Amino acid sequence: MFASRIWVFFLVLLGTSALVSLPSDNVRASQNDASWREQNLTAQQIAWLEQHPLLKLGVDRSFAPYEWIDESGRYTGMAADYIKLLEQRLGVEIKPWVEPDQSWSEVLQAASNGAFDLMSCLVKTPEREDYLLFSEPYLSSATVIISKQSQGYLGTLDKLNGRTVAIHKGHFTNELVKRDYPNINIVNTASLQQALEFVSSGRADAFVGDATAASLVMKKTGILNLTFSGHTDYQSDFRIGVYKANQELAAIIATAMGSISEAERNQIYDRWQRLELPNGVPLEKIGIGLALGLALLSIFAYWNYRLRKSEAAHRLSRQRFKNLVETTDAMVWEADVETENFTYISDNAVRILGYSVEEWLQPNFWHQNIHPEDRDQAVNYCRTQTSKLLDHEFEYRFVHADGQMLWIRDMVNLVVEEGRPVVMRGLMLDITERKKAEMLIRESEHRFRELIDSLPAIAVQGYDEQLRVTYWNDASERLYGFTQDEVLGRSLNELIIPASMRKEVHRAHRAWVDKGQAIPAAELELLHKDGSLVPVYSSHVLLGSEASGKEMYCIDISLVEQKKANAELKHLAHFDPLTQLPNRRTFSDRFDQMMKRSGRDGGRVAVMMIDLDHFKEVNDTLGHAYGDLLLQDAAKRLTRCVRETDTVSRLGGDEFLLLLDHVGDIAAIERIAKNILQQMSEPYTLLDHRSYVTASLGITFFPDDADTEEVLLKNADQAMYAAKGKGRNRFHYFTPEMEVLAQTRRRLLGKLREAIPRQQLEVYYQPIIDLSSGQILKAEALLRWNHPDGQISPLEFIPLAEETGLIIEIGNWVFSEVARQSQQWSQDYQVELQISVNTSPAQYQDDYCCKPEWFEKILIEGLNPARLCVEITEGLLMEPDPSILQKLLMFRDNGVEVSLDDFGTGYSSLAYLKQFDIDYLKIDKSFVSNLSPDNHDRVLCQAIIAMAHTLGIKVIAEGVETEQQQQLLRQIDCDYAQGYLFSHPLPADQFAANWLEPDSTS
């Protein structure tokens, strides 16, 4: 009995597909079309059908058994029968509208452009929903994995990660596999048959697609080395698709399809169904279990045939079969469906898993010994498939009697009686070693993939001995524009080799294949699909295979970004990145060429230096982004003002240089200069603002004014500043007098640099009087330059020091000298006299200013910081740099007060006074000099004093020279006065003698 039971079990495993012959009479409609239309459609829908008696249908020419065009040109198949039912119900002609050589992917492309009214047999995907409306499914089929029989059972799609899968172009699984399994390499073929041939020939590892259609193709074409080797989670639910613009037709089709009866559907199914297994065993069960079952069955069948006539022979056969089973790692079992308890297990289970047969037959034994992490999933899967009357197989971990974990593949066959499963029979295989190998392979693949992923995109192409493409990865597709479908099997020369290189490539390839002369790696320019050239670094590998002969692999790395970066670097080396104008380097190169040409032909070259007037105000008020926009617009305007042979260059900031070659006469230069002034003075539209600037131009000539670039640029600079000095928005030629002034300025600057080390600078002091008491409480420190040739006015050297940056060094020296002098007077005269020190805005832009070490140097040991006060100008308050406010606050934090000089001559506001924490205002002497009882200056001074007092700020009046001015200032509550009425600025020793004697009170 045991032997007969095993026989039945393996006989079921051996089930194969069989063609079933069914009647081929046409499917008949259940109702007359006219009566059906009247009973089921609205008047509007009937009217629509009458207006459209012919509907264009998009079909797949070779998708048997669902639909195809036969040799006589007739549309046939399961879907075709449904379309005939629709024609009968709707009373219209639905005509397949497909070209003789049109592929399925081309049909889909045409459908997306509205070429068809409806499509007959489609699976709904997100991509297709963009242009089609879908009916409910009317046919379904499994989507399976097919591979070579030698590869064994694969199982699921995740086993194909990193491998090549063939899918015919246009099949819905293309979209889903790319989305769900991005590590699978997909090769698209023109047809389902070609996809299967790819797998059969080894050019792909597996096929993924419709089980029914694939089976028919394999039988029809005689592809015998393939087998169903796994299942997928995808279901081929076929629907009718209606072009999205045909909303009315979509509703009509939905109604008509819903009216097709179960009897009509069964009649169509019975006619066309061609894949059926005995006892309901699905095709995907033909895998590893089938191979083992075939081997065991062959031996058993042979023994049973020879000895079946005798009982002794039968017992011997059973024993031999049992012995054979016991020597394998396949455990045969049987279990009750209702209780899920084992009723039989082969003896080799004791050897393999360590448990006795008696333990296996205990209730719930199987459940309890499945690995806890796999238990629920394994049990639930088995129950679900059993409830569906489906044979199944699955993998899980099982705990050995000694505690170790083994992997089991369980293949289950159901015995069904009266529509109910009653017995489960199966084969358990120990696949632990295979699982370990798979894990090692996955780890190796993972490490390799991490390595590849960490590198830039690498394009790999494979070619055979005839230079035909055999491999083309995704990176190659991105680099060269050709898809895998477009290149596989085609000659390399047709694709990416430029015509000029083809002969040499062929020669080098033959020398490599025939003589082993390797092709050296090199930089090349290969063809893109669009005809453009792609720079790559290409290296080569030659592999040998017994099956396919020699294969060449090219490994290409794109140099597009590198070349682009090199070009950008080269451009940046010669052009200004903001305006794209030539920079100083390019200007010099072109100037050198023009001077050489001028020397040969005797022509003149004009050099113009252009500076934008009031550009700083745009930057300060609107910000640098707006300033950049203005500079870009200015560059375009300048370029429009000159010839193509001339050069417009940006020197830096808001300064531009123009080179004008072959200058004819002064009149032409003046026309250009006036045009530039006009263009530059036009309003600038900067996003949401309109700004106005002008330009000042300086003009010089080669070789008239100088014969070197350095001198000519200096001349143009002097002329440009002369234009600014005369009111801006004008041009000025360089003159020899300018050079004289420039030389004088350079000599003065040289002397100024030597003034500090030669101790020519000296600090003078002018008293500041408290008007309420008449006492001296403050003094202002004023810098003087005692040059051997005579004292030089601060009006001459202070602007020069500020322009050149010397003011920073000089200012620090003044601070130190005043601090030293204050400390000395405090010790000698016991006075707390506050001394004000004038500062320049340039000093606050120095990084060293106001650092802790700066204060440590200035505020010498024992000095009371309150005896120092810094004087700033109103222009400093307008600076947008937040660090200036921070530095002024650091004076306050260190005990040094702040005074605002020349108040009333600039743009100060109450907000600035409050923000910068000002201690003193100094009314400019221009208001004090004309002060009288009833004039406007008195009113202004009184208003300034009242405002300052309201803010807690004290007021100092400068330039007091008469008793009347002093009296009027007392009347309007001015706090302090300073001027020649009290004293001129004096050297330190004379100031002390006049103002710091113990008996001095005024």
Side-chain angles (χ1 to χ4, degrees):
M1 180 176 180
F2 167 80
S4 62
R5 189 163 54 189
I6 299 301
W7 168 260
V8 172
F9 168 73
F10 283 117
L11 188 60
V12 171
L13 281 180
L14 192 58
T16 57
S17 61
L19 294 176
V20 180
S21 298
L22 293 175
S24 59
D25 55 303
N26 293 328
V27 179
R28 56 182 177 80
S30 61
Q31 297 168 313
N32 179 268
D33 58 293
S35 61
W36 186 92
R37 277 169 42 170
E38 292 173 358
Q39 295 174 14
N40 294 276
L41 299 182
T42 66
Q44 182 178 350
Q45 291 173 333
I46 293 173
W48 191 94
L49 290 174
E50 290 175 349
Q51 294 172 6
H52 300 83
L54 174 63
L55 299 179
K56 296 180 180 180
L57 178 68
V59 303
D60 189 339
R61 298 183 56 87
S62 55
F63 194 39
Y66 302 110
E67 62 176 4
W68 73 95
I69 304 296
D70 63 18
E71 295 178 354
S72 61
R74 290 179 301 177
Y75 176 50
T76 187
M78 300 174 75
D81 284 353
Y82 277 93
I83 295 300
K84 291 175 183 176
L85 287 178
L86 292 180
E87 284 183 313
Q88 294 170 3
R89 278 167 165 72
L90 303 180
V92 296
E93 181 183 0
I94 302 176
K95 183 176 181 179
W97 211 274
V98 61
E99 299 297 330
D101 296 325
Q102 196 171 20
S103 67
W104 177 233
S105 60
E106 292 172 336
V107 171
L108 288 175
Q109 181 61 41
S112 68
N113 297 323
F116 311 113
D117 296 305
L118 66 164
M119 304 286 286
S120 55
C121 191
L122 282 180
V123 175
K124 181 169 68 174
T125 68
E127 179 181 303
R128 295 171 180 177
E129 284 185 294
D130 288 341
Y131 56 90
L132 293 174
L133 300 170
F134 286 93
S135 71
E136 291 300 314
Y138 67 94
L139 287 173
S140 292
S141 179
T143 301
V144 297
I145 303 170
I146 295 176
S147 65
K148 281 187 176 182
Q149 293 178 358
S150 59
Q151 286 193 345
Y153 189 76
L154 294 175
T156 54
L157 280 172
D158 59 334
K159 302 298 192 305
L160 293 171
N161 280 333
R163 302 170 78 173
T164 301
V165 170
I167 303 177
H168 58 287
K169 197 169 186 178
H171 195 262
F172 77 99
T173 50
N174 266 298
E175 181 181 345
L176 301 181
V177 172
K178 284 183 180 179
R179 181 194 67 191
D180 300 334
Y181 300 92
N183 293 327
I184 291 179
N185 300 317
I186 297 176
V187 176
N188 285 137
T189 61
S191 66
L192 187 150
Q193 178 177 334
Q194 187 179 13
L196 292 169
E197 289 172 349
F198 265 47
V199 181
S200 178
S201 64
R203 295 164 70 180
D205 297 303
F207 162 85
V208 173
D210 186 84
T212 307
S215 179
L216 285 181
V217 169
M218 288 190 292
K219 291 180 178 67
K220 180 179 178 182
T221 59
I223 300 177
L224 304 178
N225 63 336
L226 302 185
T227 183
F228 291 83
S229 60
H231 64 278
T232 74
D233 295 330
Y234 309 134
Q235 183 77 12
S236 299
D237 291 330
F238 295 114
R239 308 165 187 259
I240 290 179
V242 178
Y243 188 59
K244 212 160 191 176
N246 296 337
Q247 300 280 344
E248 195 74 54
L249 177 59
I252 294 171
I253 293 298
T255 302
M257 291 297 291
S259 72
I260 296 176
S261 67
E262 190 66 25
E264 290 172 311
R265 294 176 186 271
N266 289 337
Q267 188 175 4
I268 294 173
Y269 183 81
D270 291 342
R271 178 185 179 196
W272 293 108
Q273 176 63 16
R274 291 291 186 261
L275 289 177
E276 178 177 320
L277 293 177
N279 300 324
V281 178
L283 286 172
E284 54 263 44
K285 293 299 175 285
I286 307 176
I288 294 176
L290 178 57
L292 180 62
L294 285 171
L296 297 175
L297 179 59
S298 298
I299 297 170
F300 176 77
Y302 174 76
W303 289 337
N304 195 62
Y305 173 78
R306 294 287 303 273
L307 306 175
R308 63 182 180 272
K309 295 184 179 179
S310 70
E311 183 64 26
H314 180 74
R315 286 196 300 270
L316 178 60
S317 173
R318 183 176 65 179
Q319 184 60 43
R320 287 179 174 176
F321 181 81
K322 181 178 179 182
N323 293 340
L324 179 61
V325 171
E326 295 303 322
T327 61
T328 69
D329 287 336
M331 298 167 282
V332 180
W333 59 268
E334 187 175 87
D336 179 69
V337 170
E338 185 175 351
T339 63
E340 296 180 345
N341 293 330
F342 277 63
T343 58
Y344 170 79
I345 186 75
S346 59
D347 292 341
N348 61 346
V350 180
R351 171 176 56 82
I352 297 172
L353 294 173
Y355 301 101
S356 67
V357 173
E358 290 73 19
E359 290 177 290
W360 277 92
L361 302 182
Q362 294 298 315
N364 294 321
F365 173 82
W366 179 67
H367 306 74
Q368 294 169 356
N369 290 282
I370 297 176
H371 192 286
E373 294 179 4
D374 298 348
R375 183 176 299 142
D376 290 344
Q377 181 178 357
V379 172
N380 291 336
Y381 177 77
C382 184
R383 289 173 179 172
T384 300
Q385 298 302 101
T386 300
S387 66
K388 296 178 181 179
L389 305 183
L390 296 176
D391 294 340
H392 51 279
E393 59 184 68
F394 51 110
E395 295 175 359
Y396 53 86
R397 289 169 291 177
F398 202 83
V399 181
H400 191 279
D402 62 8
Q404 66 174 314
M405 183 273 294
L406 299 180
W407 275 96
I408 298 296
R409 167 170 290 180
D410 209 342
M411 294 177 285
V412 183
N413 172 253
L414 297 179
V415 176
V416 180
E417 295 179 0
E418 298 180 356
R420 291 177 58 252
V422 293
V423 174
M424 292 185 290
R425 295 168 178 157
L427 195 68
M428 288 184 183
L429 297 177
D430 179 3
I431 59 171
T432 304
E433 293 304 317
R434 196 205 75 190
K435 280 290 185 179
K436 289 179 179 178
E438 288 178 356
M439 290 176 63
L440 290 175
I441 292 172
R442 283 197 297 270
E443 289 176 2
S444 176
E445 290 177 348
H446 178 70
R447 287 194 297 270
F448 179 75
R449 191 167 298 279
E450 280 188 337
L451 175 62
I452 294 301
D453 290 345
S454 66
L455 299 174
I458 299 176
V460 180
Q461 313 96 43
Y463 312 106
D464 62 17
E465 296 183 22
Q466 284 72 45
L467 277 177
R468 293 176 302 209
V469 179
T470 59
Y471 177 76
W472 191 270
N473 70 349
D474 290 344
S476 298
E477 184 171 329
R478 291 191 296 269
L479 184 61
Y480 297 115
F482 294 98
T483 65
Q484 293 176 343
D485 285 344
E486 292 173 314
V487 300
L488 290 177
R490 292 178 60 185
S491 171
L492 170 67
N493 285 336
E494 299 176 13
L495 300 169
I496 63 175
I497 305 301
S500 60
M501 292 173 52
R502 289 172 186 170
K503 185 175 181 180
E504 175 59 23
V505 168
H506 181 76
R507 184 203 64 76
H509 179 74
R510 292 315 314 169
W512 195 12
V513 172
D514 299 336
K515 302 177 183 179
Q517 297 177 0
I519 301 175
E523 289 190 16
L524 304 172
E525 286 191 331
L526 302 179
L527 278 176
H528 189 275
K529 182 180 179 180
D530 61 12
S532 62
L533 292 176
V534 181
V536 298
Y537 182 80
S538 184
S539 57
H540 312 270
V541 177
L542 186 64
L543 300 178
S545 169
E546 294 182 1
S548 57
K550 295 179 180 179
E551 292 183 352
M552 182 182 78
Y553 286 88
C554 290
I555 303 170
D556 296 340
I557 299 175
S558 173
L559 299 180
V560 172
E561 292 302 321
Q562 179 181 333
K563 297 288 185 182
K564 181 180 178 182
N566 290 340
E568 289 177 353
L569 287 174
K570 185 176 180 180
H571 182 81
L572 288 174
H574 293 87
F575 292 87
D576 172 52
L578 177 64
T579 62
Q580 302 304 311
L581 293 177
N583 59 14
R584 176 64 184 274
R585 177 179 177 179
T586 304
F587 174 87
S588 296
D589 292 342
R590 295 184 182 179
F591 196 8
D592 184 62
Q593 295 173 12
M594 287 185 184
M595 288 191 293
K596 290 177 181 178
R597 188 162 53 246
S598 175
R600 291 193 302 268
D601 58 23
R604 286 196 303 175
V605 178
V607 179
M608 287 187 183
M609 182 171 287
I610 303 170
D611 185 86
L612 301 182
D613 305 322
H614 309 296
F615 173 74
K616 186 174 184 298
E617 295 176 12
V618 175
N619 253 353
D620 293 347
T621 56
L622 298 179
H624 290 283
Y626 286 86
D628 289 346
L629 291 174
L630 192 148
L631 290 173
Q632 290 171 337
D633 194 356
K636 294 176 182 176
R637 297 184 187 190
L638 287 173
T639 303
R640 291 196 296 266
C641 292
V642 298
R643 300 163 299 183
E644 290 185 2
T645 56
D646 300 326
T647 296
V648 181
S649 171
R650 184 184 176 206
L651 186 59
D654 60 339
E655 288 187 333
F656 297 87
L657 287 172
L658 268 66
L659 276 178
L660 307 178
D661 199 7
H662 290 97
V663 175
D665 53 27
I666 295 298
I669 289 295
E670 292 194 355
R671 284 196 301 271
I672 294 173
K674 290 177 181 178
N675 186 27
I676 290 173
L677 294 176
Q678 179 194 352
Q679 292 293 327
M680 303 304 279
S681 63
E682 293 291 330
Y684 292 80
T685 302
L686 310 175
L687 300 178
D688 52 347
H689 287 77
R690 284 171 69 86
S691 295
Y692 296 85
V693 299
T694 55
S696 297
L697 278 69
I699 307 173
T700 189
F701 295 95
F702 171 86
D704 305 42
D705 298 326
D707 59 1
T708 66
E709 177 186 339
E710 180 182 359
V711 176
L712 285 165
L713 292 183
K714 180 187 66 177
N715 292 347
D717 184 65
Q718 292 176 6
M720 183 265 291
Y721 274 103
K724 282 186 177 291
K726 291 189 176 182
R728 299 183 174 89
N729 194 26
R730 64 189 66 239
F731 63 88
H732 199 286
Y733 292 104
F734 170 78
T735 63
E737 290 78 10
M738 291 180 186
E739 179 59 24
V740 172
L741 291 175
Q743 291 178 2
T744 301
R745 180 173 173 272
R746 287 196 294 272
R747 285 195 295 270
L748 182 62
L749 179 59
K751 293 178 181 179
L752 182 59
R753 294 185 188 277
E754 299 174 352
I756 294 179
R758 294 186 178 184
Q759 298 181 351
Q760 296 174 358
L761 299 180
E762 183 180 3
V763 178
Y764 279 42
Y765 299 88
Q766 186 176 31
I768 299 174
I769 305 303
D770 184 347
L771 289 176
S772 62
S773 65
Q775 295 181 346
I776 176 174
L777 298 180
K778 299 167 61 68
E780 181 178 359
L782 299 165
L783 184 62
R784 296 293 182 264
W785 183 4
N786 299 317
H787 193 269
D789 297 335
Q791 194 173 70
I792 300 176
S793 169
L795 296 177
E796 292 185 52
F797 73 84
I798 291 296
L800 186 60
E802 289 183 323
E803 182 181 340
T804 60
L806 284 175
I807 194 66
I808 296 172
E809 181 183 357
I810 293 172
N812 290 337
W813 177 85
V814 171
F815 263 113
S816 298
E817 181 63 20
V818 169
R820 184 198 62 77
Q821 189 65 67
S822 176
Q823 183 73 344
Q824 185 67 44
W825 284 340
S826 177
Q827 295 172 359
D828 293 347
Y829 300 100
Q830 301 297 313
V831 295
E832 291 294 325
L833 185 69
Q834 186 185 66
I835 302 176
S836 298
V837 182
N838 288 286
T839 57
S840 166
Q843 292 175 258
Y844 294 93
Q845 295 171 359
D846 180 44
D847 293 337
Y848 178 63
C849 177
C850 297
K851 292 284 183 70
E853 53 268 27
W854 186 88
F855 280 105
E856 290 176 6
K857 182 178 180 180
I858 300 300
L859 301 178
I860 59 178
E861 185 177 355
L863 176 66
N864 181 5
R867 293 207 297 268
L868 293 181
C869 178
V870 293
E871 289 196 10
I872 63 174
T873 61
E874 288 184 299
L876 184 66
L877 301 185
M878 301 295 292
E879 289 288 341
D881 191 347
S883 66
I884 293 178
L885 170 60
Q886 184 65 30
K887 290 177 179 179
L888 289 177
L889 293 177
M890 290 178 71
F891 277 114
R892 165 70 63 181
D893 295 341
N894 282 277
V896 180
E897 293 187 316
V898 179
S899 176
L900 183 60
D901 198 10
D902 301 331
F903 186 80
T905 61
Y907 303 94
S908 295
S909 68
L910 294 178
Y912 283 122
L913 297 178
K914 195 171 181 181
Q915 178 183 4
F916 285 86
D917 205 6
I918 303 300
D919 298 292
Y920 301 96
L921 289 183
K922 299 188 76 173
I923 300 176
D924 187 70
K925 62 184 178 181
S926 62
F927 294 101
V928 177
S929 60
N930 297 320
L931 198 62
S932 62
D934 54 358
N935 69 356
H936 291 295
D937 287 338
R938 181 182 184 278
V939 175
L940 287 174
C941 289
Q942 187 173 8
I944 291 172
I945 293 168
M947 175 197 69
H949 286 171
T950 301
L951 296 174
I953 301 173
K954 294 183 178 182
V955 181
I956 304 169
E958 293 184 298
V960 179
E961 298 181 355
T962 67
E963 288 289 347
Q964 183 186 30
Q965 292 169 351
Q966 178 181 212
Q967 185 61 34
L968 288 172
L969 289 169
R970 283 197 184 100
Q971 290 175 4
I972 59 178
D973 295 329
C974 184
D975 300 292
Y976 302 98
Q978 174 185 357
Y980 291 164
L981 175 63
F982 309 106
S983 173
H984 284 72
L986 301 171
D989 54 352
Q990 188 176 343
F991 178 85
N994 290 355
W995 292 95
L996 300 182
E997 293 295 336
D999 59 345
S1000 177
T1001 58
S1002 62

